[in-house]
Amino acid sequence: MLKHYLNKHLILLFVMLIGLSSAAIAQKISGQILDANATPIIGASVVEAGTTNGVITDFEGAFSLELTNKDAKIKVSFIGYESQEITVGNQSFIKVTLTEDVTELEELVVIGYGTQKKQNITGAIASIDSKAIEGRPVADVQSALQGQVAGVQISTGGTGPGAESSVRIRGTASITGGSDPLYVVDGFIMANGGAFTTINPSDIESINVLKDASAAAIYGARAANGVVIITTKRGKGGATRFNVNTFIGTQAPTQTLDLLNAEEYRTMYNMARDNAGKPRIANLADESQPLENNTDWQKETLQRAPMKNFEFSAAGGSENAHFYTSVRHYDEAGMINNTGFDRTSIRFNGDARTGRFKMGASLYFSNANYDEEFNTGDKGMMFHAISNSPAIAVRDENNVGGFNGPKAADGYVQKLNPVAATELVSNRRVNNRFVGNVYGEFEILEGLVYKMNGGADYSGTHRKMFAPYFDLGNGIAAVGLPNGAELQESRGEFASWLFENTLNYKTSFGKHSLGLLAGHSAMHSQYGSQHITVVGGQLSQDFPQINGSANVNGIPQGFLVQERTLSYIGRAIYDYDEKYLATFNFRRDGSSKFSKENFFDNFYSGSVGWLLSKEDFFKNDVVNYLKIRASYGFLGNDKIDANATRFIMNLNSRYPFGGSMDVGVAPGDQLANQNLVWEKQQQMNIGADFALLKNKLTGTIDYFVKNSNDLLISYNLPRSTGGANMFLNAGEVQNKGVELSLNYTNKVGELNYNFGVNGTYLTNEVTALVDGVSAINRGRNAIFGDMNRIEPGNSLFAFYGLETDGIYKSQDEITNGPTPLQGTKPGDFRFKDISGPEGVPDGKIDGDDRTFIGDGNQDFVYGFNLGLNYKRFDFSMQWQGVQGNDVYSTLKFYSQGYFNDFNMTKDVLNAWTPQNPNSDQPRAIPHDQFKERNSVSSYWIQDGSYLRLKNLQVGYSFNMENVAFLNSLRVYAAGQNLLTFTKYQGYDPEVAFSGIEGTRIYPTGRSLIVGVQVGF
């Protein structure tokens, strides 16, 4: 009975529980979670609000959930996206689109060994996201970045396809040391530089430029020239996304010289020889005879060059593991015949997290191939194109190699046929580079994170130049190839490793927030190369190998350099109520470049900020955000000669022994200086960040002073010391200026637009040199001598020489003026009488009249951009310019100076003659007949200011809503360097930062491309 009773009631209880359970399941829903591109998000969390009842989305972003509450809400979340809470109501299927978390993805700035909210930053940091870089038809990042960041100067310097540009942050601050910034890519310090030229621009997520001491001091001795932190893209959870970007195009020189044709050439050189009382060039002497040739050497040397690009990327993962990978092939033919560049690169970034542990890796490999022009010393093919007479034919099948050259009857014969050199001589360089780093993070306690970061950088380079024997029909060896056939081969390697350990602690208590960093860093670098040249023998186009000749030209060269750096790091970041901000940095660096006594030095900085817009008294409808900040600190520069503190030995010293001359080792020219210390900097920065008009107008303004001390110079010693030179800490330089960046964003109907402008005013001044050194002359040219003079009170790039005051129009002007240089006649330069032995004008033109005649420093650097989006159309353009800099134009001298029978520009057609006395062009006379014209003078200086339309792009994005396999499709057309406004007369005003125009000239290209971007 009892058993039956219990069974009966247990069954009843079980039925009641089932009923209650059924009542608890109020509703069953399903749905899909997508991102803004309608791509499914894998691993998103869907939880019934107020409960632990939840599920994770599958590979299609789909979910199914049984709710326990009739009036339930669901909360959808995923890392990197804004969470959403949705009332279910009567819905059975819910589609949710998550948007990216703006605060997390856009407002966190990488500051070196960590991140910080943008609004809490107290240093001068400029941030550039991927939108400012993507879609540009360029080989490298700096070409896309030029003119977009205040305080950053970039110069390509006309060095050919794939060449690395020079970058300066707030000016040049060293005399003999390196002035390029430090590059840090995904936490790895690139000791070998080249970050901008090796990284695929499409792989970049953001670039942060650390400009002042507060921002950069965490990198200590490497940070004096600023720091560029590059963060590459990483995957996010969700379905794997694939992207393809491809474009093709062509480029041609933005400018060529307007040179004399053959008849004009004959006229001017006959006039020059007649004026000098010298015989005319034989083949040009009789102007009644027609000329057989009228060669345009520029046209023969240059070509319209194709370019193409293909890149593919994939990114995806789950909530706890994600990846990004890409491959790119870029191919650019050079505008000089048979030059060019191509690079293939592969990247893989991966991250994973489990519990308190996180790890990741960034791996990159690139293979770059450079077909470079053949250079004879410091002279390139465009120099040789200018040098040749238009009255000479390019080819002559009767000569070995099939090319022609000047004969004695054509004038000066020591000239190279540039077409022969580009077609017969191969000059190929191959570079393979691998950069990889891995990291691991472990959260020891809440807010306390240990991180290990290790990486390696390896680069191997092989260069091979081969020139077969060829004859230009003039009975002499080709210029640059005195021994006939020649083969040069060199191999170089660079390797570095980095190992770092850091502890990061972040905590908040009340309105106080504190972040602490402590760490240790060790880095080792090693680089070296070997080079050999062989000539003659059996070398030929069929056998261009080293063992083709036993005739070694000169002594085989080789070197190996090792550098070690040891560092200790510390930082404290504090804020109160996110209104009152402070940051303090410390780094102790040791470098093997210095003696044991000076191995270590300390570098530190501090900064404060005040977020006024959070104060109650500041609340208003116009200024939405305002922060003022100030910083001061000390940095160092270890980019000096690795052997500056050491004796340099002479490995080719000869001495008599046993009746013959033997080779031994003896002290070289450089004496050791164990007392050398680091180049140091003191930096001060005052700035403000602001946003107005409901955040439509944002901007930053900074005033900075950067004093560089203990700068190294190579000091010439009397031979009685047993050496020729020694490095000394002997110079001080100051850079100061103002930076301004503004950006305005708005919308009118369906038109979205933005306009940005940035500018930097910069002064550069040498403030002191060591006792006993009043000035340093440099910038030597074989014709002019030293063009640049470093002297306190002037910039590092000041030109020093005679100042011209027009042209002597008559003999009376010469007679009644100061005693001119010997041989001066009407039509020659009139120089100013500036000074004399007593420091005052003495009525005579001589070396005492030299003065500062120009400055290569760029006073003002600026850029502005415009972006428009209307429905599915997009348009963008970016302008870039510099102002206030001079260029010492060696090209002007060679193309207007009647030098060695070079061709010249049509300017010389207006040369002074008795019938044309008011001309500003000097009289026609061979340069060797009045060598005073070769003096460094202001006549050869040009205004280097320019404004350039750097990029223009138009695109259209198709509607892909009804295309199942595509997420996005965009077609676009773009142009680079489309317009240049300048007074400069030459190939390109964008020369080296020194302002001295070299003779290895490679024209800047104007490119036009069309492309397609596909996402699926």
Side-chain angles (χ1 to χ4, degrees):
M1 287 292 294
L2 180 61
K3 182 177 180 181
H4 176 72
Y5 178 83
L6 291 173
N7 286 337
K8 179 179 177 181
H9 285 80
L10 285 171
I11 292 170
L12 180 61
L13 178 63
F14 180 70
V15 172
M16 292 174 63
L17 289 173
I18 292 175
L20 290 170
S21 176
S22 298
I25 302 174
Q27 191 175 0
K28 182 176 182 180
I29 62 167
S30 61
Q32 188 180 29
I33 312 301
L34 308 171
D35 66 10
N37 296 318
T39 302
I41 298 179
I42 303 170
S45 173
V46 183
V47 179
E48 183 179 356
T51 74
T52 58
N53 177 33
V55 294
I56 300 296
T57 56
D58 61 18
F59 283 96
E60 299 297 327
F63 71 92
S64 179
L65 177 64
E66 294 180 339
L67 303 175
T68 60
N69 187 340
K70 189 173 183 180
D71 298 320
K73 295 180 179 180
I74 59 170
K75 184 176 181 180
V76 183
S77 62
F78 191 75
I79 290 178
Y81 293 83
E82 293 182 349
S83 299
Q84 290 190 32
E85 193 168 283
I86 301 163
T87 301
V88 176
N90 296 323
Q91 301 177 84
S92 60
F93 183 85
I94 299 176
K95 180 180 287 189
V96 181
T97 299
L98 295 183
T99 57
E100 291 183 344
D101 187 339
V102 173
T103 300
E104 180 176 355
L105 297 182
E106 295 183 7
E107 296 301 317
L108 286 179
V109 176
V110 179
I111 58 173
Y113 302 99
T115 58
Q116 191 176 8
K117 284 185 179 181
K118 186 175 182 179
Q119 70 173 10
N120 294 344
I121 288 174
T122 53
I125 299 178
S127 299
I128 306 97
D129 63 18
S130 58
K131 295 177 182 177
I133 303 170
E134 288 178 341
R136 298 290 186 93
V138 294
D140 45 46
V141 183
Q142 69 262 29
S143 297
L145 198 62
Q146 190 175 25
Q148 297 207 60
V149 185
V152 177
Q153 301 164 276
I154 299 176
S155 174
T156 58
T159 49
E164 186 171 1
S165 297
S166 296
V167 180
R168 298 290 183 270
I169 297 176
R170 295 184 166 179
T172 301
S174 184
I175 297 174
T176 60
S179 293
D180 282 329
L182 174 71
Y183 296 98
V184 181
V185 180
D186 292 332
F188 182 78
I189 295 173
M190 305 279 281
N192 193 28
F196 276 176
T197 56
T198 55
I199 293 179
N200 176 4
S202 297
D203 286 344
I204 292 177
E205 181 69 29
S206 67
I207 298 175
N208 292 291
V209 182
L210 315 186
K211 297 188 283 188
D212 72 339
S214 174
I218 198 67
Y219 290 104
R222 299 185 179 100
N225 302 312
V227 181
V228 178
I229 299 179
I230 299 173
T231 303
T232 60
K233 293 177 180 176
R234 312 195 82 81
K236 292 180 285 190
T240 301
R241 303 173 183 86
F242 301 95
N243 288 284
V244 174
N245 178 28
T246 183
F247 64 77
I248 58 172
T250 183
Q251 61 177 337
T254 57
Q255 179 70 32
T256 56
L257 302 185
D258 190 11
L259 298 176
L260 302 175
N261 62 33
E263 285 293 343
E264 292 167 336
Y265 177 87
R266 174 163 65 180
T267 298
M268 294 313 300
Y269 271 102
N270 282 345
M271 182 189 299
R273 296 292 181 109
D274 293 347
N275 288 342
K278 298 292 183 181
R280 292 183 173 186
I281 297 171
N283 285 344
L284 303 178
D286 188 354
E287 296 185 0
S288 65
Q289 295 296 317
L291 295 172
E292 296 182 3
N293 302 292
N294 187 23
T295 301
D296 184 341
W297 286 98
Q298 291 182 109
K299 184 176 180 181
E300 295 288 342
T301 306
L302 295 168
Q303 64 178 357
R304 180 171 289 277
M307 56 196 303
K308 58 186 177 181
N309 176 82
F310 177 84
E311 55 191 72
F312 170 84
S313 67
S318 63
E319 185 173 6
N320 293 319
H322 37 85
F323 74 93
Y324 172 87
T325 186
S326 72
V327 61
R328 183 198 197 199
H329 179 75
Y330 178 86
D331 193 332
E332 175 186 343
M335 291 172 291
I336 293 178
N337 295 335
N338 295 315
T339 62
F341 160 75
D342 70 81
R343 178 188 290 120
T344 301
S345 61
I346 302 172
R347 173 172 293 279
F348 176 83
N349 294 343
D351 304 275
R353 179 192 296 272
T354 176
R356 294 182 172 219
F357 181 70
K358 180 182 179 181
M359 68 175 296
S362 300
L363 307 174
Y364 177 81
F365 172 79
S366 70
N367 166 258
N369 301 280
Y370 303 81
D371 289 308
E372 300 176 325
E373 60 177 324
F374 172 60
N375 292 296
T376 58
D378 61 347
K379 298 174 176 61
M381 290 300 101
M382 296 313 299
F383 176 89
H384 294 294
I386 298 168
S387 74
N388 276 275
S389 164
I392 297 174
V394 176
R395 302 176 187 273
D396 186 341
E397 297 302 327
N398 296 316
N399 298 329
V400 176
F403 290 93
N404 189 35
K407 316 299 189 296
D410 297 310
Y412 191 79
V413 297
Q414 289 284 351
K415 297 180 181 180
L416 179 67
N417 183 325
V419 184
T422 57
E423 292 193 16
L424 298 178
V425 180
S426 66
N427 189 16
R428 188 170 180 81
R429 177 166 58 93
V430 179
N431 179 267
N432 293 307
R433 187 170 189 178
F434 170 80
V435 181
N437 67 299
V438 296
Y439 74 90
E441 290 184 3
F442 181 72
E443 188 177 16
I444 302 171
L445 300 170
E446 183 178 356
L448 179 62
V449 177
Y450 163 76
K451 182 176 182 179
M452 182 280 295
N453 181 45
D457 181 2
Y458 172 81
S459 177
T461 300
H462 177 216
R463 177 180 174 272
K464 187 175 182 179
M465 189 285 293
F466 172 68
Y469 171 77
F470 61 94
D471 170 27
L472 297 180
N474 51 21
I476 62 172
V479 172
L481 300 167
N483 301 296
E486 182 173 306
L487 186 144
Q488 300 177 13
E489 191 158 3
S490 59
R491 294 182 183 272
E493 287 187 326
F494 173 91
S496 70
W497 59 258
L498 173 72
F499 186 70
E500 296 179 319
N501 295 278
T502 57
L503 279 172
N504 237 313
Y505 179 65
K506 294 183 179 181
T507 187
S508 298
F509 44 97
K511 294 184 178 181
H512 304 270
S513 295
L514 179 65
L516 299 174
L517 169 73
H520 167 270
S521 175
M523 191 166 195
H524 177 90
S525 301
Q526 176 176 298
Y527 54 95
S529 72
Q530 302 84 40
H531 176 86
I532 190 171
T533 300
V534 295
V535 297
Q538 304 304 312
L539 291 174
S540 68
Q541 289 179 322
D542 295 326
F543 194 63
Q545 305 299 331
I546 286 179
N547 58 353
S549 175
N551 304 320
V552 178
N553 188 29
I555 300 174
Q557 303 292 318
F559 71 90
L560 179 66
V561 175
Q562 294 183 330
E563 300 175 4
R564 296 175 301 280
T565 304
L566 182 65
S567 308
Y568 301 94
I569 307 163
R571 178 172 61 206
I573 300 176
Y574 169 80
D575 75 74
Y576 176 77
D577 199 22
E578 293 194 331
K579 289 192 291 188
Y580 312 112
L581 319 167
T583 300
F584 301 95
N585 295 284
F586 172 79
R587 183 163 178 139
R588 180 171 173 81
D589 275 322
S591 172
S592 61
K593 294 179 180 179
F594 300 95
S595 64
K596 292 181 180 179
E597 293 76 15
N598 297 313
F599 185 84
F600 278 106
D601 212 333
N602 301 323
F603 306 94
Y604 45 89
S605 72
S607 60
V608 293
W610 183 15
L611 198 53
L612 276 82
S613 52
K614 283 204 169 187
E615 299 286 1
D616 291 337
F617 68 79
F618 194 81
K619 302 293 184 183
N620 64 83
D621 296 330
V622 177
V623 181
N624 312 111
Y625 173 80
L626 176 62
K627 176 178 65 180
I628 58 174
R629 47 187 166 75
S631 68
Y632 186 82
F634 300 84
L635 302 173
N637 182 19
D638 70 346
K639 293 182 179 180
I640 64 170
D641 190 319
N643 294 312
T645 63
R646 301 175 176 88
F647 279 106
I648 301 298
M649 306 305 291
N650 183 356
L651 303 181
N652 191 34
S653 180
R654 297 180 179 273
Y655 63 96
F657 183 78
S660 63
M661 296 297 292
D662 284 357
V663 178
V665 178
D669 287 339
Q670 180 178 305
L671 299 186
N673 182 359
Q674 295 294 306
N675 296 318
L676 282 182
V677 297
W678 304 71
E679 292 191 345
K680 300 183 184 71
Q681 265 185 19
Q682 297 170 270
Q683 291 194 20
M684 182 274 291
N685 190 97
I686 300 173
D689 306 316
F690 53 88
L692 296 83
L693 308 175
K694 297 182 180 180
N695 296 315
K696 294 177 182 177
L697 177 63
T698 60
T700 296
I701 186 169
D702 283 280
Y703 170 75
F704 63 89
V705 178
K706 185 165 71 170
N707 293 308
S708 303
N709 308 308
D710 292 326
L711 302 183
L712 267 64
I713 66 169
S714 181
Y715 185 71
N716 294 328
L717 299 171
R719 278 297 182 178
S720 58
T721 61
N725 69 288
M726 174 190 289
F727 279 98
L728 300 174
N729 294 109
E732 298 180 10
V733 171
Q734 182 184 82
N735 287 286
K736 64 180 178 181
V738 178
E739 300 169 353
L740 176 66
S741 297
L742 295 172
N743 192 73
Y744 183 78
T745 303
N746 205 351
K747 181 178 181 180
V748 179
E750 294 187 70
L751 175 66
N752 294 278
Y753 63 93
N754 64 80
F755 178 77
V757 60
N758 70 83
T760 304
Y761 173 76
L762 175 71
T763 63
N764 174 276
E765 181 183 351
V766 180
T767 54
L769 293 175
V770 69
D771 291 342
V773 178
S774 60
I776 300 170
N777 295 318
R778 65 176 185 175
R780 177 165 288 275
N781 176 280
I783 301 297
F784 298 109
D786 295 315
M787 293 173 275
N788 173 226
R789 184 178 178 91
I790 299 173
E791 183 178 298
N794 296 278
S795 93
L796 282 171
F797 310 118
F799 305 130
Y800 191 76
L802 296 172
E803 186 173 349
T804 56
D805 187 25
I807 302 293
Y808 282 117
K809 298 180 180 180
S810 66
Q811 183 61 46
D812 286 343
E813 285 191 5
I814 298 175
T815 303
N816 296 327
T819 303
L821 297 173
Q822 185 176 2
T824 299
K825 294 182 178 181
D828 288 333
F829 296 146
R830 181 173 58 217
F831 294 113
K832 289 185 178 181
D833 182 16
I834 301 292
S835 186
E838 304 300 324
V840 295
D842 60 352
K844 183 173 69 173
I845 304 299
D846 56 20
D848 291 331
D849 295 304
R850 290 180 298 168
T851 187
F852 289 96
I853 54 177
D855 188 353
N857 183 61
Q858 299 171 351
D859 294 335
F860 185 58
V861 182
Y862 62 99
F864 52 92
N865 59 79
L866 173 68
L868 304 173
N869 285 274
Y870 179 73
K871 295 184 177 180
R872 298 189 175 277
F873 291 94
D874 62 86
F875 169 86
S876 66
M877 68 173 176
Q878 186 230 328
W879 295 78
Q880 171 260 332
V882 301
Q883 191 73 29
N885 61 302
D886 296 314
V887 173
Y888 197 93
S889 181
T890 57
L891 179 63
K892 182 178 180 181
F893 170 80
Y894 288 115
S895 63
Q896 295 185 25
Y898 303 88
F899 178 80
N900 289 348
D901 303 329
F902 276 37
N903 198 1
M904 296 179 290
T905 61
K906 292 185 185 294
D907 300 85
V908 300
L909 295 174
N910 189 39
W912 180 96
T913 64
Q915 297 75 35
N916 186 27
N918 295 319
S919 173
D920 58 359
Q921 279 286 324
R923 67 188 175 111
I925 188 170
H927 90 102
D928 58 351
Q929 299 301 306
F930 184 58
K931 292 190 176 180
E932 284 73 10
R933 189 178 289 182
N934 305 349
S935 302
V936 177
S937 76
S938 59
Y939 184 81
W940 308 116
I941 292 177
Q942 296 195 62
D943 182 355
S945 305
Y946 69 89
L947 171 63
R948 173 169 288 158
L949 177 54
K950 193 68 180 176
N951 179 268
L952 186 145
Q953 190 169 150
V954 179
Y956 181 80
S957 299
F958 291 88
N959 186 347
M960 294 291 106
E961 289 183 2
N962 299 320
V963 181
F965 59 91
L966 289 181
N967 292 328
S968 62
L969 173 62
R970 176 177 179 265
V971 296
Y972 64 97
Q976 289 281 118
N977 304 321
L978 295 179
L979 296 171
T980 302
F981 300 97
T982 182
K983 295 179 181 178
Y984 167 86
Q985 295 177 330
Y987 286 106
D988 190 359
E990 188 179 328
V991 301
F993 288 120
S994 67
I996 297 175
E997 182 182 55
T999 50
R1000 291 181 61 177
I1001 303 164
Y1002 203 104
T1004 295
R1006 177 187 294 114
S1007 62
L1008 298 171
I1009 67 104
V1010 291
V1012 179
Q1013 295 170 323
V1014 183
F1016 54 94

